[in-house]
Amino acid sequence: MEFPSFYGSNVWSACANMRVWTLFLLLLLLETGVVCSSSDYLVGLGSYDITGPAADVNMMGYANTGQTASGIHFRLRARAFIVAEPKGKRVVFVNLDACMASQIVKIKVIERLKARYGDLYTENNVAISGIHTHAGPGGYLQYVVYIITSFGFVHQSFDVIVDGIEKCIIQAHENLRPGSIFVNKGELLDAGVNRSPSAYLNNPAAERKKYEYNVDKEMTLLKFVDDEWGPVGSFNWFPTHGTSMSRTNSLISGDNKGVAARFMEDWFEKKGYEKTDSAKTEDGGLPRKISNIIPGLHNNKHELLEIATSFQSSPGRSASKTSSVSKRVRGAHRKDDKPRFVSAFCQSNCGDVSPNVLGAFCIDTGLPCDFNHSTCGGKNELCYSRGPGYPDEFESTRIIGERQFRKAVDLFNTVDEEIEGEVDFRHTYIDFSQLEVTISDEGDSEVVKTCPAAMGFAFAAGTTDGPGAFDFTQGDDKGNPFWKLVRDLLKTPTKEQIECHRPKPILLDTGEMKKPYDWAPSILPIQIIRIGQLVLLCVPGEFTTMAGRRLRDAVKTVLTSEEDFDFDDIYIVIAGLSNTYSQYVTTYEEYQVQRYEGASTLYGPHTLSAYIQEFKKLAVALINDEAVEAGPEPPDLLEKQIGLLPPVVVDGIPLGVNFGDVCADVPQNSTFKSGDMVAASFWSACPRNDLMTEGTFALVEFLQEKDDWIPAYDDDDFCLRYKWSRPYKLSSRSRATLEWRIPEGVTPGVYRFRHFGAAKGLFGSIHHFTASSSAFVVA
């Protein structure tokens, strides 16, 4: 059918006017910030550098006074996600490449967030969790017992963590956009073993029969998808200790979970999640936007050597404070219109889970350690567990990290269940020092109490991941007269305290030690975060496998008994080491055995029952939309902190030398291949002068054009290590050694090292410098 021409022209004129008005309305909506979307959530992610002082500061985790930082394996980061209902509640979860969360850190982070955003982000809806690496600088917790080995409080460690958390939350807030969240879970069988199996076996046989393994093997993963940009990140939870790096390691490292996060973020940037079904990580790096200086030249070693020979080491020269930031590999390729992909590998109930999956052996005989006490000829110092890369701890770290990474990629690529439902949270503070707990058993009930904090003798024995010293052993339920005498010089526990903690023999009565200020926490935060069918239980400690199972089951029973919770399949995940730190939580039965974990369960044999009781109250309040009391506030002890770490006085160099000059160059006319280790050393300065936050101390540069050097690898890459040393402890002189293990698949060509540093002058001025090594060939 045909219409008169005038009719057609009027119709098209009306349609054109309609398009103009539609465009106008859309522009108006965008200008006013009102965006229409079918998404139920706003999603934002952020990440920021929290690498602390890489010199002189004791590592947090093993409590080994001889383990002080002297370089960087790869950098530490704070990673955050925010999930918000467009017109409702919101939650923040921060994952730290640190040993654990800290109460004083969270207090100060919340103060900053309130100053910036008002009551949008508070202690109630913000959770901060640590991955439990034992290779990060210590001194950032406020209680005495946790900062003894770091010679007290280290403000530099504390400040960089607080700053990094704040900045990653700001990033996530500014990245909030309509998006979707997906959830997946799956088994990872070869990334953790139980390091206290004799304690686990003390749990009831009927309970143990419900589970196939004596550690949890399940990883739970969230995938965040922006409506416009597509996938923007993933967070997963899986229990295994951050102890692949040993108690003698001195390089700052995120251990196996930090490695996994670095691998996954680089994998996504390099491959694009839609373009690969494999997870190759030989280079530990992201897309290297480099090509050969002359096409076809990479096969001509002679000509490459000629080019390399023309680039000799450069003398040290002044540099700007931000020069190392501008040279960062991952900073160079960031897209302006889209934030980087953020991936976090979070900790769960890892209390008795070791990544050293080959088992524990005696270093003198090579035989397995004693099963019950983890000793060798009665000595615990000789019993060490072995990682899958034994005897190379770096290789063990890579392997366990890669296993977690591969499982996360698999879950990421196969996820199909979307998160649906409301966002909510509950948080309260509980005084665990004398909490009444009602215990029910076959219809009978009994009221018991928790105890003021105390640590048992087996605490000093350490674990098979890092044994202690002297004559302490795991499984000690009696103590030693000599060490009791030493204990009494600090604080003699009362009869009531001894009886309350029985059968734990008290070595340190930390809960009743108050000089110069509190030695251990008594007021702890507990928190539930709900995002649809995912429920996070944020616990301030290390739950053992069975303790975590009991807590999850108790909360699940509460949630599924309520008609308002309309999900048949819910995901209840323990987020360990969250918001503050209070050591371990075992089951009542495991506590009786008094291995390391039981001796480190601070509040007595009923600690787990107390957690279950209080979490069930939070779960009921969550389901019934009821408020909970805030509880007693924990102390802010920042002004009382004592720090005994000497400052950097001045940096020195030999006469006739500049800061940055090469003191041990790459061999002349050298050609290397994948798998080789290349190294160069520079006259340097103490890295405490400038942490190079979001920058780098070390670079491997690639010759792109005839005189154009571009960054290829930096000190956030697994394959490049920055090592700092001084000839003796009080020397003002120091060296930086850069070691590059050439990865598989590296682009052939001409490379060189570049070092960035900052030297402190006699009157406190800071001088930034840089220098490069001679060039070398990778064929």
Side-chain angles (χ1 to χ4, degrees):
M1 182 180 294
E2 295 182 3
F3 295 96
S5 60
F6 75 91
Y7 182 88
S9 64
N10 288 342
V11 168
W12 286 113
S13 177
C15 289
N17 289 335
M18 183 66 72
R19 287 196 296 271
V20 171
W21 278 106
T22 301
L23 180 60
F24 174 78
L25 288 171
L26 285 173
L27 290 172
L28 182 64
L29 288 171
L30 289 171
E31 185 68 24
T32 57
V34 180
V35 180
C36 296
S37 171
S38 59
S39 298
D40 294 328
Y41 304 115
L42 300 176
V43 174
L45 288 89
S47 173
Y48 204 80
D49 189 357
I50 59 168
T51 309
D56 303 327
V57 176
N58 186 252
M59 299 286 202
M60 182 62 195
Y62 286 115
N64 175 18
T65 55
Q67 187 192 15
T68 57
S70 62
I72 297 175
H73 180 206
F74 60 93
R75 287 191 167 262
L76 310 179
R77 301 196 71 80
R79 299 172 171 92
F81 72 74
I82 299 176
V83 175
E85 295 173 326
K87 294 183 180 180
K89 297 178 180 179
R90 62 182 59 202
V91 293
V92 183
F93 187 89
V94 182
N95 188 62
L96 299 179
D97 287 346
C99 195
M100 67 281 291
S102 157
Q103 184 67 74
I104 192 60
V105 165
K106 183 167 182 182
I107 287 173
K108 297 308 174 184
V109 167
I110 297 302
E111 286 181 2
R112 293 191 184 187
L113 293 177
K114 286 184 176 181
R116 180 180 291 269
Y117 298 112
D119 290 331
L120 195 60
Y121 302 112
T122 70
E123 64 270 16
N124 297 324
N125 66 343
V126 175
I128 302 173
S129 176
I131 64 171
H132 209 38
T133 174
H134 285 41
Y140 63 93
L141 286 85
Q142 70 172 352
Y143 297 104
V144 173
V145 75
Y146 305 128
I147 55 176
I148 290 175
T149 57
S150 60
F151 296 103
F153 197 75
V154 181
H155 278 277
Q156 203 171 28
S157 295
F158 170 79
D159 290 339
V160 74
I161 292 175
V162 173
D163 290 344
I165 296 172
E166 180 192 21
K167 286 182 170 65
C168 79
I169 292 175
I170 291 172
Q171 282 184 19
H173 177 84
E174 293 178 348
N175 289 334
L176 276 172
R177 292 161 53 92
S180 302
I181 311 166
F182 296 83
V183 62
N184 202 357
K185 63 181 178 181
E187 281 192 342
L188 173 58
L189 300 179
D190 54 359
V193 296
N194 198 306
R195 68 185 188 186
S196 288
S198 59
Y200 180 87
L201 288 173
N202 209 43
N203 291 307
E207 182 180 34
R208 287 186 279 112
K209 286 181 180 179
K210 292 162 50 179
Y211 304 98
E212 185 174 357
Y213 306 106
N214 63 359
V215 296
D216 284 339
K217 302 283 189 179
E218 191 168 81
M219 176 183 285
T220 302
L221 178 138
L222 291 182
K223 177 178 179 178
F224 300 95
V225 181
D226 185 280
D227 281 357
E228 178 185 353
W229 291 331
V232 290
S234 70
F235 276 56
N236 70 73
W237 291 263
F238 177 80
T240 194
H241 249 74
T243 49
S244 293
M245 301 296 287
S246 74
R247 68 192 298 273
T248 59
N249 162 62
S250 65
L251 299 184
I252 290 174
S253 173
D255 209 277
N256 56 70
K257 286 189 177 291
V259 167
R262 169 53 52 236
F263 285 171
M264 188 153 185
E265 288 175 346
D266 289 352
W267 163 79
F268 186 86
E269 295 289 342
K270 185 174 183 178
K271 302 284 189 180
Y273 90 106
E274 295 176 331
K275 298 180 181 179
T276 182
D277 57 0
S278 64
K280 300 287 286 183
T281 64
E282 289 90 344
D283 64 349
L286 90 171
R288 311 295 173 184
K289 297 187 177 179
I290 56 180
S291 58
N292 294 295
I293 52 179
I294 301 175
L297 193 60
H298 63 277
N299 290 321
N300 192 328
K301 296 181 183 179
H302 177 72
E303 292 188 45
L304 286 175
L305 278 171
E306 284 189 355
I307 295 172
T309 303
S310 66
F311 292 97
Q312 298 300 306
S313 62
S314 65
R317 57 181 173 82
S318 295
S320 68
K321 180 177 174 60
T322 59
S323 57
S324 79
V325 176
S326 65
K327 289 289 188 179
R328 282 183 63 234
V329 171
R330 286 160 188 83
H333 307 310
R334 177 167 181 154
K335 298 178 181 179
D336 293 334
D337 60 339
K338 179 182 177 180
R340 278 202 177 282
F341 184 86
V342 177
S343 181
F345 285 69
C346 311
Q347 196 54 270
S348 192
N349 53 319
C350 67
D352 53 359
V353 187
S354 170
N356 298 310
V357 294
L358 298 186
F361 296 88
C362 299
I363 59 175
D364 56 344
T365 66
L367 297 174
C369 303
D370 175 80
F371 181 76
N372 290 317
H373 301 286
S374 296
T375 55
C376 300
K379 296 182 178 181
N380 75 296
E381 304 99 301
L382 301 177
C383 177
Y384 280 87
S385 55
R386 297 176 180 177
Y390 175 83
D392 186 342
E393 62 187 301
F394 293 95
E395 183 65 5
S396 292
T397 301
R398 184 195 64 79
I399 292 171
I400 296 298
E402 187 170 88
R403 287 173 181 175
Q404 292 176 78
F405 156 67
R406 289 180 181 275
K407 173 51 64 175
V409 168
D410 176 57
L411 297 176
F412 186 88
N413 283 336
T414 59
V415 64
D416 58 5
E417 181 179 348
E418 187 168 356
I419 292 284
E420 298 175 335
E422 64 185 64
V423 174
D424 208 348
F425 51 86
R426 291 295 183 275
H427 175 284
T428 190
Y429 291 110
I430 304 292
D431 187 343
F432 270 74
S433 64
Q434 287 184 318
L435 180 66
E436 290 190 349
V437 182
T438 301
I439 298 177
S440 298
D441 183 20
E442 297 181 356
D444 296 329
S445 63
E446 177 187 6
V447 177
V448 295
K449 280 188 175 183
T450 56
C451 323
M455 297 155 69
F457 273 67
F459 158 79
T463 71
T464 55
D465 291 333
F470 306 109
D471 54 352
F472 296 101
T473 60
Q474 296 196 67
D476 182 357
D477 60 0
K478 294 181 175 57
N480 174 290
F482 172 76
W483 289 112
K484 286 182 179 179
L485 180 64
V486 174
R487 170 201 68 191
D488 291 346
L489 295 175
L490 292 171
K491 174 70 173 68
T492 303
T494 64
K495 291 182 179 179
E496 292 79 10
Q497 178 79 326
I498 292 172
E499 187 61 32
C500 187
H501 280 274
R502 194 176 300 279
K504 177 201 294 177
I506 296 175
L507 177 63
L508 288 173
D509 190 13
T510 53
E512 298 183 321
M513 296 167 70
K514 305 294 182 181
K515 294 181 180 180
Y517 43 88
D518 292 358
W519 278 56
S522 59
I523 298 171
L524 302 178
I526 62 171
Q527 183 181 36
I528 294 182
I529 287 177
R530 177 189 174 186
I531 308 171
Q533 62 268 44
L534 175 78
V535 177
L536 292 175
L537 309 180
C538 302
V539 300
E542 304 173 60
F543 278 56
T544 61
T545 298
M546 193 63 84
R549 288 168 175 171
R550 289 185 189 177
L551 178 61
R552 289 197 305 261
D553 288 347
V555 172
K556 185 174 184 178
T557 299
V558 171
L559 296 179
T560 54
S561 66
E562 298 290 337
E563 295 181 0
D564 292 339
F565 202 92
D566 54 355
F567 290 101
D568 295 329
D569 189 14
I570 61 175
Y571 298 80
I572 300 180
V573 175
I574 289 177
L577 303 117
S578 293
N579 299 320
T580 191
Y581 184 62
S582 60
Q583 295 175 244
Y584 285 75
V585 180
T586 65
T587 66
Y588 178 86
E589 294 83 0
E590 291 166 347
Y591 185 91
Q592 308 305 307
V593 179
Q594 279 299 294
R595 282 182 61 89
Y596 174 83
E597 295 81 12
S600 303
T601 297
L602 292 185
Y603 307 103
H606 303 297
T607 300
L608 175 60
S609 296
Y611 273 104
I612 290 174
Q613 171 181 283
E614 299 305 314
F615 264 102
K616 286 171 70 175
K617 292 178 183 178
L618 284 191
V620 169
L622 184 78
I623 290 300
N624 295 330
D625 196 25
E626 297 171 347
V628 295
E629 293 185 6
E633 287 193 8
D636 178 343
L637 302 176
L638 187 59
E639 296 303 318
K640 295 184 177 181
Q641 295 301 312
I642 299 171
L644 302 178
L645 180 70
V648 179
V649 178
V650 66
D651 289 292
I653 45 177
L655 288 174
V657 170
N658 297 317
F659 282 108
D661 282 0
V662 173
C663 52
D665 206 353
V666 178
Q668 295 293 311
N669 301 317
S670 299
T671 300
F672 301 94
K673 63 182 184 301
S674 295
D676 289 345
M677 178 73 84
V678 193
S681 296
F682 303 78
W683 287 108
S684 193
C686 184
R688 289 163 58 194
N689 296 326
D690 188 333
L691 302 183
M692 302 293 178
T693 302
E694 290 291 356
T696 182
F697 289 100
L699 272 182
V700 171
E701 295 181 315
F702 179 83
L703 185 61
Q704 179 75 61
E705 302 294 343
K706 299 211 171 181
D707 58 357
D708 183 20
W709 293 92
I710 65 169
Y713 300 89
D714 62 22
D715 66 11
D716 201 17
D717 277 293
F718 185 82
C719 61
L720 179 60
R721 301 171 195 169
Y722 159 67
K723 295 183 175 181
W724 179 83
S725 62
R726 53 164 67 100
Y728 53 90
K729 189 167 185 179
L730 298 180
S731 175
S732 63
R733 298 179 182 179
S734 62
R735 295 186 179 194
T737 299
L738 312 187
E739 294 180 351
W740 183 37
R741 177 74 69 183
I742 302 175
E744 296 293 329
V746 68
T747 301
V750 178
Y751 291 82
R752 73 179 182 186
F753 290 110
R754 177 169 293 281
H755 170 48
F756 293 94
K760 189 172 185 178
L762 188 59
F763 299 104
S765 62
I766 301 296
H767 165 65
H768 289 81
F769 60 87
T770 185
S772 60
S773 72
S774 296
F776 55 92
V777 172
V778 175

